[in-house]
Amino acid sequence: MIKRKLLCGLLTAAALCLPAKAARPVAVQVDGTSLESGAYLERGTSYVPLRNLLEAMGNWEIWWDGSTGTAQAASEEACLSADPGGSTLTVNGRAHPCRVYVARGRTYVPLRLTVEALGGHVEWDPWLDGAAVTTSAAEYNAMDYYWLSRIIHAESGGEALEGQIAVGNVVLNRVSSEDFPDSIPDVIFDTENGVQFEPAANGTLVKEPTELSQEAARRVLSGENTAGDSLYFFAPALSEGTWIDSSRIYRQTIGCHRFYL
């Protein structure tokens, strides 16, 4: 009977350390870089492995304190403690009651609470079907940078930097135009008058951008412009561009793309 009670107790403890059956994997990106694995969405709250999150945020030392049964982390700006037994996340001495649990050797913490306690920001990205994390040290909004770098790569990844910047300029010009949606992701996925950017429909948009495409995105977001006020472009080698050629004002050619106002 004692052994049976002990076994039941161990099974119960193990069950408490695992995500609930209602949980599902969820995508998370941090400052434009995808978190590799392990995030879950459960009852409206996203949970992430603490180590994965902090390593993506950069410049953190993370360790498990066996004497206290807590995960500990420290950077130059902050210190953090995640206590599964006490259901508490403590950041810079401030305790936040929350669910903290251990599963398969990983300490899980609530994503939004942890990021906001560290001075960052979290948005739900419907196009990613996941969370976009902008850290306190980021120069650009994570959702904007994530999608802009990917559309630049998908549309012009083989072009020189000038041409990649020009493609990014078209996206931002559309954001500023009354004729298009008012956010970078909404412009990229716009289908009001048909698919605007083919990579958004054929799946190539999700490919990891090159460093050059990421640099182009950063330059575009910082205000660099090589395409002027262009709102349209096409590659003659890949498309006839009949409507653009007949309806829009030609501005310039950069690499393999023709740009139009």
Side-chain angles (χ1 to χ4, degrees):
M1 181 63 70
I2 294 177
K3 289 183 178 180
R4 183 177 179 182
K5 288 182 178 179
L6 178 61
L7 177 60
C8 289
L10 291 173
L11 290 173
T12 300
L16 290 173
C17 291
L18 293 173
K21 289 183 179 180
R24 68 172 178 89
V26 67
V28 175
Q29 60 102 339
V30 178
D31 292 341
T33 300
S34 298
L35 204 64
E36 287 302 318
S37 63
Y40 287 88
L41 178 66
E42 180 184 345
R43 299 186 180 94
T45 299
S46 296
Y47 294 90
V48 294
L50 179 63
R51 179 176 295 276
N52 288 26
L53 175 63
L54 295 183
E55 287 181 346
M57 296 175 78
N59 301 316
W60 280 86
E61 181 182 358
I62 308 128
W63 69 96
W64 178 260
D65 187 340
S67 64
T68 61
T70 59
Q72 301 287 328
S75 69
E76 292 183 358
E77 296 80 22
C79 58
L80 179 152
S81 175
D83 183 0
S87 299
T88 305
L89 179 76
T90 303
V91 177
N92 292 335
R94 181 179 177 183
H96 303 269
C98 63
R99 184 186 179 209
V100 178
Y101 66 93
V102 177
R104 293 177 287 276
R106 294 174 169 180
T107 302
Y108 281 76
V109 294
L111 175 65
R112 183 179 297 276
L113 187 153
T114 304
V115 171
E116 291 182 351
L118 293 170
H121 177 64
V122 180
E123 298 174 85
W124 183 259
D125 183 345
W127 308 112
L128 180 67
D129 190 28
V133 174
T134 304
T135 67
S136 59
E139 294 184 54
Y140 316 106
N141 175 273
M143 195 185 309
D144 288 346
Y145 175 62
Y146 182 90
W147 290 117
L148 186 62
S149 62
R150 279 158 176 76
I151 194 63
I152 288 173
H153 173 68
E155 289 281 10
S156 60
E159 294 292 294
L161 182 60
E162 180 187 8
Q164 296 197 37
I165 290 172
V167 167
N169 293 151
V170 168
V171 175
L172 261 66
N173 289 343
R174 289 190 177 196
V175 172
S176 300
S177 171
E178 295 181 355
D179 297 328
F180 296 94
D182 57 5
S183 77
I184 288 174
D186 286 344
V187 161
I188 292 170
F189 291 96
D190 181 21
T191 58
E192 183 173 344
N193 296 305
V195 173
Q196 296 292 306
F197 294 93
E198 190 62 31
N202 64 21
T204 57
L205 186 60
V206 300
K207 292 182 178 179
E208 195 71 21
T210 62
E211 177 53 43
L212 189 63
S213 295
Q214 293 177 60
E215 181 182 349
R218 292 191 292 269
R219 291 194 180 206
V220 170
L221 291 169
S222 294
E224 191 166 333
N225 188 311
T226 62
D229 295 330
S230 299
L231 291 170
Y232 299 87
F233 66 87
F234 77 96
L238 301 175
S239 170
E240 294 183 0
T242 305
W243 178 85
I244 296 177
D245 238 348
S246 62
S247 304
R248 311 303 301 187
I249 300 172
Y250 170 76
R251 186 182 192 278
Q252 68 187 112
T253 296
I254 303 176
C256 71
H257 289 106
R258 291 169 59 89
F259 291 83
Y260 294 76
L261 301 179

